[in-house]
Amino acid sequence: MEQQVLELLAATLEPAADTRTNAERHLELLYTNDAFPISLISIASHTSVDLPLRQAALLSLKTFVLRIWSSSLDEFQGVITINDATKDQVRHSLLALATSGDQERKIVSASSLVVSKIASVDFPDQWPSLLPTLLQLIPQSHDGQLHGGLVVLGNLVEDGFDEDQFGKSAIELVRCIYDIATDERKKLNSRALAVSIFRACFDTMELMYQTDKASVKQFMQEASDAWTPFFIDVLKLPLPPIPAAEQEGDTESGSWRGTVALKTQVVKALDKIHRTFPHLLSQHTLELFGTIWESLQAHVGPYLALYVDDSRQGRLEDADRLPYTLDFLVIEELDYIQTLVGSITVKRELEAQIAPEKLSNGTFNETWVAQIMTILVGFSQITQEDEGLWDFDVNVFLSEETSETANYSPRNACSYLVQKLVKYPVLDSLLARTKAIYEEGSSSARAKEAAIFILKQILDELDSCSKDIDPDIARAYLHYIGLAMHETDDFLRARGYILVSRLTTLPSSGLLDAVPQYARQTLAAIDQDSSDVVKVSCIRALQEYLKTLPASTAREFQVQTVAAISNFISAQDLSDLKESEDLLDTLVETLRDAIMADPSLCLEHPALDVLFTMASYGASSFQTTMLVNEAFDSITSSMAAKGSDSYAQLCAKVLPTLTGALDVGDMTSENALSDMAVSLLSSLAEHGPRPLPRNFVAAVMPKLYRLLFSSNEPILNQSATVTIRHIVAHDPDQVFSWQDPATGKGGLEIVLLIIDRLLGPDMDDASAAEVGGLTVELVEKAGAERLGPYLMQLLRIVAVRLSTAEHASFIQNLVLVFARLALTNAKEVLDFLAQVHVEGGAGGTGLEVVLRKWLENSVHFSGYDAIRQNVMALTNIYKLHDERLANIQVQGDLMVDNSTRIKTRSQSKRTPDRYSVIPVPLKLTKVLISELANPLSPSTPGLQQNQFADHSDDEDDDWEDEPGIVDLSNPTTTAELMAYADESRYNVRQLDDETQTYLVDFFKQASTEPDFRDLYQGLTDDEREKLHQMEKTSIQ
């Protein structure tokens, strides 16, 4: 079989898609053959086979394992086709390959990854020998075996352990990797890998800490006491001589690569410890701070030699994902310094060193602050690699400027660190350093640029903290910034224009009078400077000026800014512009700020034409689309506020362009362009007056009608539906009196046809997500008399579609159709739904289907108006005391599992959540109680301080302040952030005083009724307590 499998693997590497697909299909047919996985391992084990084929064998084996090995794996396809004996052979053969000492690291990494996938479901029950085998093998293996064993162990720690399994082996495991890490006879890369495994242990230890603080804290303290002296020794190791460029990546050429990799892992481990268990390093904090400080100072020279004076490649990792270039080490050191600066011990030491140095005249001789400025300016210099990228593609330069880049560099790390230091006299120290750099004849343009780059970060942080800058210091900096604006180096000149706009527009700088002068210079540079980097920097700088200039002056700059942006766009390659998202965003933002100086003027010059041109280029970019929509929304609302005539003029100018864009999008099948045009039309209709301008419906409705009957794109359908809803809401008479010349159908019939299509079985939830709002608007505006028999038919279709709806937003949208009607005609709504029959698995009467969906999803409704209408509709239904409701059973409370273990995705698949079953009146009551504000809830305003008032943990008293930097790689931190987001300002389910008052009054009245006393017995303790607290609060 090996030869057959080998030929198929070779075919999967062929460039022809049909050949690859056919080979992959034949490989899948072999899944039922027990010899297949053994053949794959055999092929991967043969060193005589070409490396790509060996890798392909392991990739195919990983796919095989994920699909058929265990139902607990997320990619499992439903049938286990491999017997236990073959599984056992695969496990042992694969582990042997991973720890064989194979010289190809890619084979070791790939095989160990498959081992970890199997271990994640088989260890320890089906594979109890795995960990003991590794812990026995690693201490006595040679370099090749050691590397493979460590890779497998690392993957096991990251993906294969749960807390219980880790806890049973933690002591032996940590001792094993400690012996490897501290053994100077081992290869530096193997020692670095051992440190990386130790760091990975902290994610699991943090989860264990939540349930067993005392034991975990004792274990980690002992481990930390053993590891920290070793860490400090590694940090103090000097870097070897810089190797030649052709030898830097050679693992056998010397100790440079291994030393950098080991030091990097040590710093990452220390940073991890400090973020997760800061008390462990309390007694070593100052020593660590001093050691890292000295290390950074020592690394400035080699860093500049490698990346600024030379063009060595940075950001490199080996096959084991271990960074081994100096720039990575510098990033980790800068980030760790930032963590340490937030600790109490370091803060006190830094402040103590500054205090005695304050002279009688009030100036500072801040030695350490001066040193850190030198370090930051050194590491902030533009590398040759970055300069080449930025010069080639200005979009990359802008992504770095806006910090919207995945390429986190020492320059980025410096900007974050200096922002943490603004409480110290950094402006004075940086000014001294800037003066020295600019007045030294030998200083490079990169050093000059770096100095004012650091200044920009300080000014941004001071502004965000509402702190003032001394006008004398501001004027001193302005001198050097002015010099930068006239330098020959493009990047230094660009930095000068950016800085002068930031500095002069700060209210405390005393330089506001100079803003018009520098704004004119910036405008001139957009047209006259030869560098695109300088041009886009000036365009971005204009945003600061336009926000600061007096209204009358800003209006003068509007025409010039629009013209400058228009000229810049006309000089660009259109194909390149479509791919330059950050550049488009900058252009749109600046154009928006210029237009908003006086939106009415945009009718007199081509500002809107320029905006629509950029919109067409950036239609496929979410960020650009959002910015264009925001800009146009601001323009539309501003023009509408001026009256119907101004709005009509705006429509006359933009409707031909927008409807034309729909035609172009339709002819070229560019859905993104149609999406953008419809979204802008929606904004235009939303802010329209009542009634809309004459012929508005005739211009827009035919296009939307055609789109909705030809498109299956969710975003496009949603925007088009919302646009029609706005049109019906603002001018129903114009809609109902309009007749489509192409079909002869009237406006009412057209809207009914659109609703019928959106509610049809062929339309997915996302595409039909806004149809409920359109339906409600049509029913309310047309009325029963105009709709006639179509009204009941329309509501019947909504009820039937609701039975199959799955998306929460779509369910809310459809439920609100009945909720709005129930505000005034609750009984009629129930009577009608009782007559409707819904077929299918979730079928029954319309009353059963609608109420189940309604009550089971009410807690997920969002938006003030929607929640208020929902609450009022449900109370109206409750007040009917309709006997039919008691016979309908719906989903009740979650039946909670008392286990304290975290439930993984695979466990959730095996044991899904279970709910009780309760009658509608009880569920309705529970839903209304859930909408009550809880006086004891942390989300209730004014109770945030009390949330922690009674919380104390004596054993944690010696911990230092939690650092201000968030470790996004930490699963616990990520979960906490997601939970916080649910209760933050981004959560639209916030308190509404009007709704709360209504609910309190409702429960006061309902609690006196006999029926409510029966329902009260079915409430949970928390729900009863909520009602009691409501009663107490209302009495007070």
Side-chain angles (χ1 to χ4, degrees):
M1 170 173 276
E2 283 187 26
Q3 185 60 37
Q4 178 190 2
V5 173
L6 191 60
E7 292 173 357
L8 289 173
L9 291 173
T12 63
L13 302 178
E14 291 293 327
D18 291 342
T19 303
R20 291 198 310 271
T21 302
N22 187 52
E24 290 166 357
R25 186 172 63 253
H26 278 82
L27 285 172
E28 291 176 7
L29 294 176
L30 296 175
Y31 280 7
T32 56
N33 192 322
D34 289 341
F36 176 63
I38 306 302
S39 298
L40 290 174
I41 297 174
S42 178
I43 292 170
S45 302
H46 282 300
T47 56
S48 59
V49 177
D50 291 341
L51 179 60
L53 287 172
R54 298 176 68 192
Q55 289 178 281
L58 289 171
L59 178 60
S60 182
L61 181 62
K62 186 185 78 168
T63 304
F64 168 82
V65 167
L66 292 175
R67 289 181 178 178
I68 62 93
W69 193 274
S70 170
S71 60
S72 296
L73 291 168
D74 291 336
E75 293 88 347
F76 181 68
Q77 293 191 340
V79 180
I80 297 177
T81 60
I82 182 171
N83 61 51
D84 291 342
T86 304
K87 280 188 174 184
D88 191 58
Q89 188 178 356
V90 168
R91 284 191 285 258
H92 287 87
S93 300
L94 196 56
L95 180 60
L97 173 59
T99 59
S100 63
D102 197 298
Q103 296 301 307
E104 290 291 350
R105 285 179 173 256
K106 292 180 179 179
I107 297 300
V108 174
S109 297
S111 57
S112 67
L113 177 60
V114 184
V115 169
S116 71
K117 294 297 182 184
I118 296 174
S120 68
V121 292
D122 285 1
F123 177 81
D125 296 334
Q126 286 78 41
W127 201 357
S129 62
L130 174 59
L131 185 59
T133 300
L134 290 173
L135 295 181
Q136 183 180 8
L137 171 73
I138 288 173
Q140 47 188 273
S141 58
H142 58 75
D143 285 336
Q145 282 184 312
L146 174 61
H147 169 252
L150 288 173
V151 171
V152 173
L153 183 60
N155 285 329
L156 189 63
V157 170
E158 290 184 2
D159 301 318
F161 278 137
D162 63 24
E163 302 96 282
D164 293 338
Q165 296 161 0
F166 182 82
K168 294 174 183 177
S169 57
I171 295 176
E172 188 178 0
L173 189 155
V174 171
R175 183 186 300 119
C176 175
I177 57 178
Y178 173 79
D179 291 340
I180 299 299
T182 57
D183 189 347
E184 296 183 0
R185 296 169 298 177
K186 304 297 184 184
K187 283 188 174 182
L188 289 166
N189 275 26
S190 295
R191 297 171 66 191
L193 196 52
V195 176
S196 174
I197 296 171
F198 178 63
R199 174 172 56 88
C201 292
F202 277 83
D203 287 336
T204 307
M205 295 305 298
E206 189 174 15
L207 292 174
M208 294 174 61
Y209 182 79
Q210 298 173 13
T211 57
D212 190 2
K213 288 188 176 183
S215 299
V216 171
K217 187 172 181 181
Q218 180 182 354
F219 171 75
M220 294 311 300
Q221 187 66 65
E222 293 173 357
S224 176
D225 291 343
W227 283 80
T228 303
F230 160 68
F231 286 161
I232 294 175
D233 289 342
V234 171
L235 293 177
K236 291 180 178 179
L237 285 175
L239 288 176
I242 299 176
E246 61 274 11
Q247 295 179 329
E248 185 180 1
D250 186 358
T251 58
E252 305 299 329
S253 65
S255 58
W256 169 270
R257 175 170 170 171
T259 302
V260 172
L262 178 58
K263 290 170 77 73
T264 302
Q265 291 307 311
V266 165
V267 180
K268 287 168 74 74
L270 284 167
D271 197 39
K272 183 73 172 182
I273 296 171
H274 204 105
R275 292 168 187 269
T276 52
F277 300 100
H279 73 281
L280 298 177
L281 299 173
S282 296
Q283 59 182 327
H284 302 287
T285 300
L286 282 180
E287 184 179 7
L288 287 168
F289 182 78
T291 305
I292 293 289
W293 185 285
E294 293 171 0
S295 182
L296 279 170
Q297 289 180 307
H299 294 163
V300 172
Y303 177 83
L304 294 176
L306 285 169
Y307 305 113
V308 178
D309 301 331
D310 200 354
S311 57
R312 299 285 183 92
Q313 188 174 0
R315 306 184 183 106
L316 296 178
E317 297 180 344
D318 64 16
D320 303 319
R321 297 175 298 169
L322 294 181
Y324 64 85
T325 49
L326 183 61
D327 58 331
F328 271 132
L329 173 57
V330 169
I331 288 172
E332 296 300 333
E333 290 176 331
L334 288 168
D335 284 349
Y336 188 40
I337 278 282
Q338 187 182 167
T339 300
L340 291 173
V341 164
S343 72
I344 293 174
T345 307
V346 172
K347 285 179 182 178
R348 289 172 179 167
E349 179 64 22
L350 294 179
E351 291 168 359
Q353 288 191 24
I354 285 181
E357 295 171 355
K358 186 169 183 178
L359 305 180
S360 58
N361 62 2
T363 61
F364 286 89
N365 181 24
E366 57 282 30
T367 306
W368 73 262
V369 185
Q371 290 175 357
I372 196 66
M373 289 301 110
T374 301
I375 291 172
L376 294 175
V377 170
F379 288 126
S380 295
Q381 294 185 40
I382 301 173
T383 64
Q384 288 197 20
E385 181 182 3
D386 283 341
E387 183 176 292
L389 289 171
W390 298 354
D391 201 35
F392 176 76
D393 187 352
V394 71
N395 195 64
V396 179
F397 167 75
L398 278 174
S399 70
E400 294 284 348
E401 278 299 296
T402 55
S403 298
E404 294 176 358
T405 173
N407 293 327
Y408 187 64
S409 66
R411 182 176 170 100
N412 302 125
C414 287
S415 69
Y416 293 129
L417 176 54
V418 77
Q419 289 173 359
K420 296 269 288 192
L421 300 173
V422 293
K423 65 173 70 175
Y424 305 108
V426 289
L427 278 174
D428 304 79
S429 294
L430 180 61
L431 180 59
R433 182 64 187 147
T434 303
K435 179 179 180 182
I437 291 173
Y438 273 78
E439 294 181 0
E440 287 177 4
S442 59
S443 295
S444 66
R446 288 189 176 92
K448 294 177 180 178
E449 192 275 343
I452 56 177
F453 168 80
I454 293 297
L455 173 62
K456 171 69 161 53
Q457 315 313 311
I458 296 174
L459 294 179
D460 287 345
E461 184 65 15
L462 290 174
D463 189 38
S464 68
C465 299
S466 300
K467 293 184 178 180
D468 294 341
I469 178 175
D470 187 324
D472 293 335
I473 292 179
R475 283 190 290 272
Y477 274 117
L478 186 61
H479 169 69
Y480 298 111
I481 294 170
L483 296 177
M485 292 169 63
H486 297 90
E487 289 275 1
T488 56
D489 182 86
D490 293 345
F491 294 102
L492 178 54
R493 204 161 62 252
R495 182 65 51 202
Y497 281 106
I498 291 172
L499 257 295
V500 76
S501 69
R502 192 72 184 95
L503 182 64
T504 56
T505 55
L506 287 175
S508 61
S509 68
L511 299 171
L512 291 177
D513 290 343
V515 166
Q517 168 196 341
Y518 285 108
R520 291 188 181 92
Q521 290 184 32
T522 302
L523 271 170
I526 297 174
D527 290 328
Q528 299 170 10
D529 202 284
S530 60
S531 168
D532 277 351
V533 169
V534 176
K535 290 177 183 288
V536 298
S537 296
C538 290
I539 290 172
R540 191 161 183 263
L542 282 175
Q543 296 173 23
E544 299 284 353
Y545 295 129
L546 290 166
K547 295 172 184 175
T548 307
L549 287 166
S552 57
T553 310
R555 282 194 290 270
E556 296 177 16
F557 279 89
Q558 186 187 86
V559 176
Q560 300 172 59
T561 301
V562 171
I565 293 175
S566 178
N567 293 337
F568 178 82
I569 292 174
S570 62
Q572 301 300 305
D573 186 311
L574 300 186
S575 60
D576 290 341
L577 197 59
K578 288 185 177 181
E579 303 298 323
S580 303
E581 180 177 336
D582 293 284
L583 175 56
L584 279 172
D585 292 348
T586 297
L587 294 172
V588 172
E589 288 171 341
T590 305
L591 182 63
R592 174 200 62 198
D593 292 342
I595 291 174
M596 292 314 298
D598 188 346
S600 63
L601 294 179
C602 68
L603 300 177
E604 303 173 6
H605 52 70
L608 288 171
D609 296 332
V610 176
L611 180 65
F612 292 153
T613 298
M614 290 188 290
S616 65
Y617 293 149
S620 58
S621 163
F622 172 79
Q623 179 70 12
T624 304
T625 300
M626 184 178 69
L627 288 171
V628 170
N629 283 333
E630 288 178 353
F632 189 69
D633 191 74
S634 298
I635 294 167
T636 305
S637 60
S638 177
M639 295 295 287
K642 293 179 179 294
S644 299
D645 291 342
S646 296
Y647 180 86
Q649 293 175 20
L650 177 65
C651 291
K653 185 174 182 65
V654 302
L655 278 178
T657 303
L658 296 179
T659 54
L662 288 177
D663 292 334
V664 172
D666 188 36
M667 290 186 293
T668 60
S669 299
E670 289 190 25
N671 290 324
L673 183 60
S674 297
D675 289 347
M676 172 77 79
V678 174
S679 180
L680 297 178
L681 279 174
S682 178
S683 179
L684 187 66
E686 179 182 6
H687 296 288
R690 300 171 191 266
L692 292 168
R694 185 180 177 186
N695 295 325
F696 187 98
V697 172
V700 174
M701 281 295 290
K703 311 289 185 181
L704 299 178
Y705 175 52
R706 187 191 71 243
L707 276 176
L708 285 169
F709 269 82
S710 61
S711 169
N712 289 313
E713 291 294 322
I715 296 177
L716 181 57
N717 287 339
Q718 289 176 26
S719 296
T721 307
V722 170
T723 304
I724 296 174
R725 174 166 62 85
H726 289 317
I727 293 172
V728 172
H730 284 76
D731 199 342
D733 291 339
Q734 188 175 163
V735 173
F736 300 147
S737 63
W738 167 73
Q739 190 172 34
D740 181 23
T743 63
K745 293 181 173 65
L748 177 60
E749 185 179 359
I750 291 288
V751 177
L752 286 170
L753 289 171
I754 289 172
I755 293 174
D756 184 65
R757 169 170 163 74
L758 292 173
L759 289 174
D762 297 332
M763 192 67 66
D764 59 51
D765 285 9
S767 293
E770 297 294 339
V771 69
L774 174 58
T775 303
V776 169
E777 207 64 58
L778 181 67
V779 170
E780 292 184 348
K781 292 297 189 293
E785 182 176 347
R786 190 189 295 268
L787 286 171
Y790 293 119
L791 176 58
M792 294 299 108
Q793 183 180 350
L794 185 61
L795 296 179
R796 186 186 305 274
I797 296 173
V798 173
V800 171
R801 186 64 180 87
L802 182 59
S803 69
T804 61
E806 296 179 353
H807 290 192
S809 60
F810 184 40
I811 292 172
Q812 172 181 327
N813 203 258
L814 294 182
V815 164
L816 286 177
V817 173
F818 299 104
R820 288 271 288 269
L821 294 174
L823 292 177
T824 54
N825 300 285
K827 187 177 186 306
E828 288 78 358
V829 170
L830 297 189
D831 290 342
F832 164 75
L833 289 174
Q835 300 170 21
V836 174
H837 179 70
V838 178
E839 298 179 352
T845 68
L847 191 60
E848 294 170 338
V849 170
V850 170
L851 285 178
R852 284 196 187 106
K853 286 282 189 177
W854 189 340
L855 295 174
E856 291 171 9
N857 290 275
S858 280
V859 293
H860 304 302
F861 286 7
S862 60
Y864 282 131
D865 290 339
I867 293 173
R868 184 183 303 121
Q869 291 169 11
N870 182 54
V871 166
M872 296 176 72
L874 289 176
T875 57
N876 286 350
I877 293 174
Y878 177 91
K879 292 173 184 178
L880 294 174
H881 299 291
D882 194 310
E883 295 181 357
R884 292 172 294 187
L885 304 185
N887 297 321
I888 301 174
Q889 300 293 309
V890 297
Q891 186 183 86
D893 298 321
L894 175 66
M895 301 173 69
V896 179
D897 183 359
N898 293 324
S899 172
T900 59
R901 290 188 58 183
I902 294 175
K903 199 170 187 179
T904 63
R905 283 181 295 176
S906 60
Q907 290 169 339
S908 297
K909 289 168 67 176
R910 291 196 299 266
T911 57
D913 291 335
R914 295 179 300 129
Y915 293 84
S916 62
V917 177
I918 59 177
V920 164
L922 179 56
K923 179 67 175 181
L924 194 155
T925 306
K926 286 174 173 286
V927 168
L928 292 175
I929 292 175
S930 72
E931 295 294 351
L932 272 175
N934 188 350
L936 301 180
S937 169
S939 62
T940 302
L943 291 176
Q944 290 288 351
Q945 294 178 348
N946 293 332
Q947 182 183 357
F948 301 102
D950 296 327
H951 173 74
S952 64
D953 189 351
D954 295 339
E955 64 180 359
D956 294 344
D957 288 345
D958 60 333
W959 286 34
E960 297 184 66
D961 284 351
E962 290 290 343
I965 304 167
V966 178
D967 182 8
L968 292 178
S969 65
N970 185 332
T972 301
T973 302
T974 305
E976 290 174 352
L977 281 175
M978 295 302 292
Y980 173 76
D982 287 342
E983 296 180 4
S984 70
R985 63 189 177 89
Y986 301 104
N987 187 353
V988 292
R989 289 193 62 81
Q990 295 178 347
L991 301 181
D992 175 2
D993 291 340
E994 183 179 336
T995 303
Q996 292 303 306
T997 302
Y998 178 86
L999 273 173
V1000 170
D1001 292 340
F1002 165 77
F1003 278 113
K1004 283 182 181 179
Q1005 179 181 350
S1007 62
T1008 63
E1009 300 171 358
D1011 289 350
F1012 186 81
R1013 296 168 191 167
D1014 295 334
L1015 295 173
Y1016 184 82
Q1017 302 304 316
L1019 300 179
T1020 64
D1021 291 340
D1022 289 342
E1023 289 166 343
R1024 294 176 187 177
E1025 179 62 23
K1026 206 172 186 181
L1027 291 176
H1028 290 318
Q1029 291 297 329
M1030 177 207 74
E1031 185 178 3
K1032 290 179 182 179
T1033 304
S1034 62
I1035 293 174
Q1036 294 173 355

